[in-house]
């Protein structure tokens, strides 16, 4: 798989990361290096091997269905660039 | 298990300008899990709180915060799966669906794309007595809801409330087994009914607890059967997805409008483009959401914050033993045990509270069929008039049961029972005591009825002559006697004695 400058632009846009026009081909090159490494990994035969999801045997930690959090509107909004009447205020998003 | 047999309904046929067309519909229903806390945080799910009050730092996507799964949500999803006779996957896993929107602070929704918790199941959608559609369920997965954006509070700003962010949803995905707008609406209502019986989703559609995305395509008669035989979707038309509808009325209207749009395109020689559309109920049209198309590259990948969700068969079995009797079984039992019509059984089992109320009335009265009539015709009629639910009925099931028991014992006539119903409904009290206090007991004492009949006959010699000439006029005497006894005489006894005394 080869990533060109156009694909790099699309990926950057999807990730909402601004990349200048003249940096796109270099970025595409870096992607290709990473993907080349992954292609190398894909040559390993993993037929019948369960994906390892944890280094030590662990069970997904669970919580009980009880309300233990919330009621901290001020703290939740504390870092917002703009907040009004208890809401985050963001530039108008129109469908 | 008790079972009622049924036939499938005929598919809806729409006549285009040239040809007949059929519809093929599949739904993705998003049902809010009836949990107290969110799927991955300890914040409350309660509707109507102050903005951003039900928000934990996990929900707000704060750096370093990690999701911890709410086991109650998992149990409710499993319960829903069992209620839809579905396979439960003992291992499932969570994936990130990546997109940017202000009401999604994490930048991704945690969902289950590759390994959902519930596999294939089915729903029987009743359309009329003896007519039902079997709709197969493809899967149910758990996922997070997004927050809410409000666009009309400021001309330049959108306001974001994260209270709903992270609330657990079950996405219930059907196979394309639904063949008309009415079936689609009935399917949503049946899912809602089953989940309300199970207590896994409260189904409040107005508050968005149940929303549906509808996939619609059209095909020529015969194509659907070819698809069924071969499993090849190429026999079906290209589908469009109508997003996010929270009323069965809109679902029906949107399907109808969308099908007609597709038919018009096809009959004009055009092709339907697969896309996401929005239904505008004011203009009664669907329109493309092109803005969303590019964002559809969701770049799913397994969520590295969450291990696979592994549950034990014994735990699933425990949940299975806690399942209540479900609507289909309850309905079949009502028909068989109480001898009521399927229609009445449908009405009584629509809401689990109604069914429970009825069963208590039937138990107290000892007469299921009469109880069904009184609950459906008198009580529901009165509650509807007063805009009340069964939950705040002024008349308890025990009270109504005793009224029906009084009729059954012959203590009061059906006519007096209606008066008694009204008194107890409005004023409360013990039905037997009221009957005694107000002298409403039916007169079955033949001597008293005979005396009343004799009085009426003696006072109306001219009518007696007429009645002897024309026996149909005997009814007038029965009416007079009933009037004279305040409606308390047993009508059958009165009739018999009148006939006898007039020599008819």
């Amino acid at each position: 798989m080869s990533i060109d400058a156009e694909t790099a632009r699309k990926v950057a846009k999807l990730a909402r990361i601004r990349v200048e026009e003249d940096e796109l081909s270099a970025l595409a090159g870096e992607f290709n290096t990473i993907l080349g490494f992954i292609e190398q990994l894909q040559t390993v035969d993993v037929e019948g091997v369960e994906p390892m999801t944890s280094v030590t045997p662990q069970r997904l930690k669970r919580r009980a269905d009880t309300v233990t959090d919330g009621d901290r509107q001020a703290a939740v909004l504390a870092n917002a660039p703009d907040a009004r009447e208890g809401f985050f205020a963001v530039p108008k998003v129109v469908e | 298990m008790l079972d009622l047999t049924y036939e499938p309904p005929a598919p809806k046929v729409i006549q285009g300008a040239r040809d007949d067309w059929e519809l093929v519909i599949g739904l993705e229903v998003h049902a809010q899990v009836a949990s107290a806390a969110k799927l991955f945080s300890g914040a409350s799910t309660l509707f109507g709180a102050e903005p951003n009050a039900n928000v934990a730092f996990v929900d707000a996507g704060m750096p370093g915060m990690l999701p911890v799964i709410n086991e109650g949500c998992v149990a409710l999803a499993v319960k829903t799966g069992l209620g839809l006779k579905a396979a439960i996957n003992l291992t499932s896993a969570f994936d990130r669906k990546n997109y940017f929107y202000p009401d999604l602070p994490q930048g991704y929704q945690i969902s289950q794309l590759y390994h959902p918790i519930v596999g294939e199941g089915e729903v029987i959608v009743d359309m009329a007595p003896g007519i039902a559609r079997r709709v197969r369920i493809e899967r149910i997965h758990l996922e997070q809801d997004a927050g809410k954006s409000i666009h009309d509070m400021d001309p330049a700003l959108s306001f974001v409330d994260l209270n709903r962010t992270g609330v657990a949803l079950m996405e219930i995905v059907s196979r394309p087994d639904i063949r008309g707008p009415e079936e689609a609406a009935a399917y949503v209502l049946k899912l809602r009914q089953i989940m309300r019986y199970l207590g896994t989703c409260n189904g409040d559609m107005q508050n968005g607890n149940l929303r549906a995305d509808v996939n619609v395509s059209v095909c020529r008669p015969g194509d659907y059967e070819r698809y069924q035989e071969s499993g090849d979707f190429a026999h079906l038309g290209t589908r469009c997805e109508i997003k996010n509808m929270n009323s069965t009325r809109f679902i029906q209207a949107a399907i109808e409008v969308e099908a007609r749009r597709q038919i018009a395109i096809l009959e004009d020689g055009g092709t339907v483009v697969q896309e996401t559309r929005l239904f505008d109920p004011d203009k009664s049209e669907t329109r493309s959401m092109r803005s969303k198309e590019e964002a559809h590259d969701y770049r799913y990948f397994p969520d590295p914050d969450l291990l696979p969700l592994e549950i034990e068969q014994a735990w699933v079995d425990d949940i299975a033993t806690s399942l209540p009797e479900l609507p289909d079984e309850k309905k079949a039992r009502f028909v068989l045990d109480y001898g009521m019509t399927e229609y009445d059984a449908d009405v009584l089992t629509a809401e689990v509270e109604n069914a429970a109320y009825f069963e208590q009335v039937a138990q107290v009265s000892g007469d299921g069929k009469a109880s069904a009539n009184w609950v459906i015709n008198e009580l529901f009629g009165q509650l509807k008039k007063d805009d009340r639910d069964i939950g705040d009925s002024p008349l308890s099931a025990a009270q109504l049961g005793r009224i029906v028991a009084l009729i059954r014992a012959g203590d009061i006539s059906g006519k007096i029972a209606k008066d008694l119903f009204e008194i107890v409904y409005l004023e409360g009290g013990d039905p037997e005591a009221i009957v005694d206090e107000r002298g409403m007991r039916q007169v079955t004492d033949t001597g008293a009825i005979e005396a009343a009949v004799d009085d009426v006959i003696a006072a109306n010699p001219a009518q007696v002559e007429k009645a002897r000439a024309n026996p149909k006029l005997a009814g007038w005497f029965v009416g007079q006697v009933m009037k004279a006894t305040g409606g308390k005489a047993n009508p059958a006894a009165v009739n018999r004695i009148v006939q006898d005394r007039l020599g008819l």
Side-chain angles (χ1 to χ4, degrees):
Chain A
M1 188 171 174
S2 180
I3 302 280
D4 57 15
E6 198 45 49
T7 311
R9 188 204 313 278
K10 191 184 168 203
V11 171
K13 189 179 175 201
L14 284 171
R16 299 296 189 275
I17 292 172
R18 181 170 162 180
V19 179
E20 299 303 333
E21 200 60 32
D22 57 359
E23 293 168 0
L24 282 173
S25 57
L27 182 64
E30 283 179 44
F31 279 147
N32 283 320
T33 309
I34 295 166
L35 289 174
F37 175 59
I38 288 169
E39 267 168 32
Q40 212 178 327
L41 287 176
Q42 281 176 334
T43 61
V44 180
D45 182 8
V46 291
E47 188 65 34
V49 180
E50 283 284 301
M52 187 179 77
T53 50
S54 173
V55 181
T56 53
Q58 282 188 71
R59 186 171 182 266
L60 176 67
K61 198 172 156 49
R62 286 121 155 107
R63 67 166 73 239
D65 182 27
T66 46
V67 176
T68 55
D69 206 338
D71 272 332
R72 46 165 99 203
Q73 188 197 61
V76 165
L77 296 171
N79 295 318
D82 191 1
R84 302 182 190 196
E85 295 171 60
F87 294 93
F88 290 92
V90 301
K92 193 117 185 151
V93 208
V94 187
E95 266 300 299
Chain B
M1 195 188 79
L2 299 169
D3 233 341
L4 297 174
T5 52
Y6 57 88
E7 292 287 323
K12 163 130 181 159
V13 175
I14 294 183
Q15 287 172 332
R18 279 211 315 268
D19 297 313
D20 281 353
W21 297 85
E22 289 182 3
L23 284 68
V24 180
I25 301 158
L27 276 85
E28 293 162 20
V29 171
H30 300 262
Q32 183 178 325
V33 176
S35 61
K38 295 185 180 182
L39 182 54
F40 294 111
S41 87
S44 169
T45 60
L46 220 59
F47 183 82
E50 283 286 297
N52 293 306
N54 294 344
V55 181
F57 290 149
V58 187
D59 310 316
M62 293 293 178
M65 303 309 296
L66 289 172
V68 179
I69 196 163
N70 178 341
E71 193 165 39
C73 295
V74 179
L76 291 171
V78 168
K79 199 170 188 180
T80 303
L82 292 171
L84 301 180
K85 301 176 173 54
I88 306 300
N89 295 323
L90 297 181
T91 301
S92 62
F94 290 95
D95 306 293
R96 291 186 180 179
K97 177 181 179 176
N98 298 281
Y99 66 95
F100 282 100
Y101 205 75
D103 56 24
L104 187 80
Q106 286 170 151
Y108 55 86
Q109 176 195 32
I110 304 179
S111 182
Q112 297 189 303
L113 178 67
Y114 301 109
H115 303 288
I117 185 157
V118 177
E120 293 183 336
E122 67 169 38
V123 180
I124 307 300
V125 181
D126 312 277
M127 299 307 298
I131 307 284
R133 174 76 67 195
R134 175 174 174 264
V135 177
R136 293 167 301 157
I137 302 295
E138 183 181 318
R139 56 185 283 163
I140 305 176
H141 60 257
L142 275 169
E143 63 182 25
Q144 297 176 300
D145 204 349
K148 196 174 159 195
S149 301
I150 300 164
H151 304 293
D152 57 5
M153 285 178 70
D154 187 288
L157 299 169
S158 290
F159 283 28
V160 180
D161 174 10
L162 300 182
N163 282 347
R164 224 175 52 190
T165 307
V167 168
L169 300 179
M170 297 178 275
E171 180 171 328
I172 305 167
V173 183
S174 86
R175 300 267 183 203
D177 292 350
I178 298 163
R179 306 301 313 282
E182 298 79 14
E183 285 181 34
Y187 166 76
V188 172
L189 290 177
K190 186 63 180 275
L191 276 183
R192 177 179 183 274
Q193 182 194 29
I194 292 172
M195 291 189 289
R196 283 175 57 84
Y197 267 62
L198 293 167
T200 58
C201 169
N202 72 25
D204 185 344
M205 297 187 77
Q206 259 172 351
N207 291 337
N209 284 351
L210 205 59
R211 317 192 284 270
D213 300 341
V214 184
N215 286 288
V216 182
S217 68
V218 296
C219 65
R220 302 295 314 281
D223 284 344
Y224 188 79
E225 288 71 20
R226 281 187 271 280
Y227 148 73
Q228 279 184 311
E229 274 165 34
S230 62
D232 184 355
F233 285 99
H235 292 293
L236 303 181
T238 304
R239 66 173 197 267
C240 288
E241 183 180 15
I242 314 164
K243 278 278 186 199
N244 214 19
M245 283 175 289
N246 67 349
S247 111
T248 49
R249 200 161 54 83
F250 288 169
I251 289 171
Q252 287 194 59
I255 292 171
E256 183 94 29
V257 165
E258 175 60 17
R260 288 184 186 282
R261 184 190 72 88
Q262 293 180 14
I263 291 166
I265 291 174
L266 294 168
E267 291 197 337
D268 259 5
T271 48
V272 174
V273 182
Q274 184 173 340
E275 61 180 356
T276 306
R277 301 180 68 86
L278 262 188
F279 177 60
D280 181 338
D282 295 328
K283 293 186 183 157
S284 193
E285 61 176 29
T286 65
R287 55 170 181 268
S288 180
M289 294 173 75
R290 291 225 170 76
S291 61
K292 284 231 161 175
E293 294 303 300
E294 190 176 6
H296 267 164
D297 193 345
Y298 290 130
R299 295 149 296 143
Y300 280 97
F301 64 88
D303 191 316
D305 288 340
L306 291 158
L307 287 165
L309 173 58
E310 289 180 332
I311 55 177
E312 290 73 38
Q313 186 61 46
W315 189 66
V316 175
D317 293 343
D318 265 358
I319 294 172
T321 60
S322 76
L323 285 196
E325 182 181 41
L326 290 168
D328 290 342
E329 284 99 63
K330 201 181 280 289
K331 181 174 142 188
R333 184 169 60 81
F334 279 16
V335 170
L336 293 173
D337 285 8
Y338 297 112
M340 65 177 77
T341 61
E342 208 183 316
Y343 179 83
D344 283 355
D346 253 339
V347 173
L348 289 173
T349 56
E351 298 282 348
V352 69
E353 296 83 0
N354 292 350
Y357 185 102
F358 158 74
E359 289 218 82
Q360 206 191 333
V361 175
Q363 199 200 350
V364 171
S365 71
D367 185 341
K369 216 167 169 179
S371 297
N373 286 335
W374 277 85
V375 171
I376 294 172
N377 298 322
E378 302 303 323
L379 181 68
F380 287 175
Q382 193 61 46
L383 290 175
K384 194 171 178 191
K385 219 183 285 173
D386 296 348
D387 199 19
R388 285 171 185 270
D389 287 331
I390 197 95
D392 54 3
S393 165
L395 187 68
S396 74
Q399 284 171 317
L400 183 52
R402 286 206 291 279
I403 294 174
V404 178
L406 285 166
I407 309 169
R408 188 165 182 248
D411 287 340
I412 54 173
S413 65
K415 188 175 169 300
I416 290 289
K418 291 197 182 182
D419 298 337
L420 178 61
F421 173 93
E422 205 172 299
I423 294 167
V424 182
Y425 185 95
L426 293 173
E427 302 168 21
D430 174 45
E432 284 95 350
I434 293 170
V435 165
D436 286 335
E437 279 161 22
R438 309 201 185 186
M440 297 166 87
R441 206 166 280 278
Q442 179 162 263
V443 179
T444 43
D445 169 11
T446 318
I449 298 174
E450 281 172 349
V453 172
D454 290 343
D455 285 351
V456 173
I457 286 176
N460 298 282
Q463 292 288 337
V464 172
E465 285 309 313
K466 283 185 196 165
R468 286 197 169 124
N470 181 4
K472 279 184 189 160
L473 297 177
W476 180 84
F477 286 91
V478 176
Q480 291 301 307
V481 174
M482 291 306 289
K483 205 165 156 186
T485 56
K488 287 178 291 181
N490 180 318
V494 174
N495 202 34
R496 186 165 40 77
I497 294 164
V498 166
Q499 300 274 339
D500 184 55
R501 285 291 202 271
L502 291 175
L504 298 175

